[in-house]
Amino acid sequence: MIRLLTLLAATAALCLAGTQPALAQSEPRPGHLRAQIEVPNDVRAFTEAAEQEFAPPGSNYVDLPAVVVPVTERDRLVAYAFVTIRLHLAANANEWRVREQAHFLMHDLTSISHATPFVRTGYSSFEAEPTRALWEETLSQRLTRDRMERLEILGGDMRLLRS
């Protein structure tokens, strides 16, 4: 008997809930106010910028793993930069042959970056052009079968050392 009464009460509650008019989501409930403030979303802007920077180009390319490059200021180590290297290849180049040589390419990039580190130009910026030019020259010599058109540095997170 108690089960029957419980079942009837639950059924009646569901029926009554279905008959009450539902409030539209745009209307606030009685006694409540809806805020009209929109908080800017910096994460969305940063995400869109990163997607644009790292978007794959329409041409033949290979992205190498991140390279850790020393950053100096007045010939003193002050930080490390973490950069991703994108190799833009000729249209007839075989990107899989280039990927097979990635460990040799990474060795060359690391060796050059320690001999010619980036130079710090501001709190969170650095000059990479001399190092990038040496990277491009060396990798062009190594990739003779699969011609590299240019080398692009993607990203550039710099982590300062503690003094």
Side-chain angles (χ1 to χ4, degrees):
M1 185 69 162
I2 295 177
R3 283 187 181 173
L4 181 62
L5 289 175
T6 307
L7 184 61
L8 286 173
T11 306
L14 287 173
C15 290
L16 287 175
T19 59
Q20 292 180 353
L23 294 174
Q25 288 189 0
S26 61
E27 299 175 18
R29 295 187 315 210
H32 290 86
L33 298 174
R34 182 176 298 254
Q36 299 297 321
I37 300 170
E38 186 174 326
V39 179
N41 188 347
D42 290 339
V43 174
R44 182 179 299 141
F46 290 136
T47 302
E48 289 172 359
E51 285 175 349
Q52 289 175 359
E53 184 173 0
F54 287 92
S59 62
N60 204 7
Y61 75 98
V62 171
D63 285 342
L64 295 176
V67 179
V68 180
V69 182
V71 179
T72 61
E73 185 176 41
R74 293 188 293 267
D75 294 326
R76 184 172 169 252
L77 180 67
V78 294
Y80 285 98
F82 297 81
V83 296
T84 301
I85 307 299
R86 176 169 287 165
L87 305 177
H88 294 269
L89 305 173
N92 60 348
N94 184 341
E95 68 180 78
W96 291 106
R97 272 199 308 249
V98 175
R99 290 180 198 279
E100 288 172 356
Q101 297 183 49
H103 55 289
F104 295 118
L105 303 176
M106 294 300 294
H107 173 76
D108 291 344
L109 294 173
T110 304
S111 299
I112 292 168
S113 65
H114 283 271
T116 309
F118 292 170
V119 177
R120 184 176 174 198
T121 57
Y123 181 74
S124 61
S125 60
F126 52 83
E127 173 61 43
E129 186 53 34
T131 309
R132 193 204 63 75
L134 287 172
W135 282 348
E136 191 166 321
E137 179 184 332
T138 303
L139 295 188
S140 293
Q141 292 171 4
R142 183 176 287 279
L143 299 172
T144 54
R145 281 178 79 186
D146 302 299
R147 191 168 54 86
M148 180 183 72
E149 291 182 345
R150 67 184 174 96
L151 180 144
E152 181 181 8
I153 297 176
L154 302 176
D157 180 29
M158 185 171 75
R159 309 264 172 93
L160 296 172
L161 299 176
R162 292 184 179 181
S163 301

